[in-house]
Amino acid sequence: YEFLILEWLTLQNPLLKFSPQRPPLPGQEYPGLGLGKKVVDVFVYLARLIQKDGLLAFPAYFHNALLFTRYFQFLNPEKQGEVLAVRKSLSEIPFKHLAWMVHLNCLREEDGRSYEWRAEEQIYPLNKSLKEYLENRAYRQKVKQVLNNRHFTIDWDCYERRVDELIAGKRDGPR
């Protein structure tokens, strides 16, 4: 398959400052532009124009992967299920806090092991066979199996300690 590959994309406004109401997400230097959907639409158009089979992204941060799941799916159904299981397990946690919990390594697997984010490829399929792969029964069943069998909790002591350390070192951390 041939993809239009999104290696790195920064959608930030260097003229804005973070505030307590709008703190940064991991990796952000400036507030976002809120143009994610429009940018995906532009890249889909470009990929079709140059006859690619889809878009491929490699989200460096967990929160990027979670945001991308609106449009993209992981090639690996286990990874798709994992990201959805994290969100499902912690659905009551606001997105920005969950992003920092994962980034600061304060999420725990059901057995107590630390959850560590490892990026994998996500795709937006434009080609029929890629769409069929992501929609096929085996893929969907594997996603569902992982989603139903993986559970996560928060190590609140870890989170509070690491947030305090972050705020002491940088005044623009999560709040």
Side-chain angles (χ1 to χ4, degrees):
Y1 296 106
E2 290 188 16
F3 292 96
L4 178 58
I5 299 172
L6 309 177
E7 285 189 36
W8 187 256
L9 182 64
T10 302
L11 299 173
Q12 299 178 26
N13 186 341
L15 301 177
L16 295 179
K17 301 276 186 223
F18 291 111
S19 68
Q21 296 77 29
R22 194 172 176 185
L25 290 166
Q28 276 190 312
E29 293 182 35
Y30 302 101
L33 295 171
L35 295 175
K37 171 73 170 109
K38 290 178 182 177
V39 169
V40 168
D41 289 344
V42 167
F43 283 118
V44 166
Y45 173 76
L46 289 173
R48 284 190 172 126
L49 190 66
I50 59 175
Q51 300 178 342
K52 297 297 180 186
D53 296 308
L55 303 178
L56 185 138
F58 195 81
Y61 294 95
F62 172 82
H63 66 274
N64 293 128
L66 195 56
L67 288 170
F68 288 2
T69 60
R70 295 176 188 167
Y71 319 106
F72 291 70
Q73 286 179 262
F74 284 96
L75 275 171
N76 176 355
E78 290 184 25
K79 192 65 169 184
Q80 182 75 16
E82 171 190 307
V83 169
L84 296 176
V86 169
R87 190 65 193 134
K88 179 182 173 187
S89 293
L90 304 166
S91 61
E92 75 284 358
I93 301 296
F95 175 79
K96 65 183 176 184
H97 294 296
L98 180 58
W100 281 102
M101 289 169 182
V102 172
H103 184 71
L104 297 172
N105 294 316
C106 297
L107 223 58
R108 299 292 176 259
E109 300 269 358
E110 196 169 26
D111 64 6
R113 286 179 299 124
S114 180
Y115 172 75
E116 185 178 334
W117 168 248
R118 290 190 195 328
E120 289 188 24
E121 296 85 357
Q122 284 181 298
I123 62 169
Y124 183 112
L126 296 173
N127 149 317
K128 183 179 178 183
S129 67
L130 281 173
K131 288 178 184 177
E132 288 172 352
Y133 166 73
L134 296 172
E135 294 169 0
N136 82 45
R137 186 176 189 172
Y139 181 95
R140 288 183 293 121
Q141 283 181 327
K142 188 62 174 176
V143 170
K144 187 176 181 180
Q145 176 189 4
V146 173
L147 176 61
N148 291 331
N149 292 320
R150 294 214 35 205
H151 305 282
F152 300 87
T153 60
I154 302 159
D155 179 341
W156 286 105
D157 291 335
C158 169
Y159 182 64
E160 290 170 12
R161 183 177 67 256
R162 294 211 172 134
V163 166
D164 287 345
E165 290 168 1
L166 188 65
I167 290 171
K170 277 176 31 179
R171 298 318 283 163
D172 61 352
R175 291 182 180 87

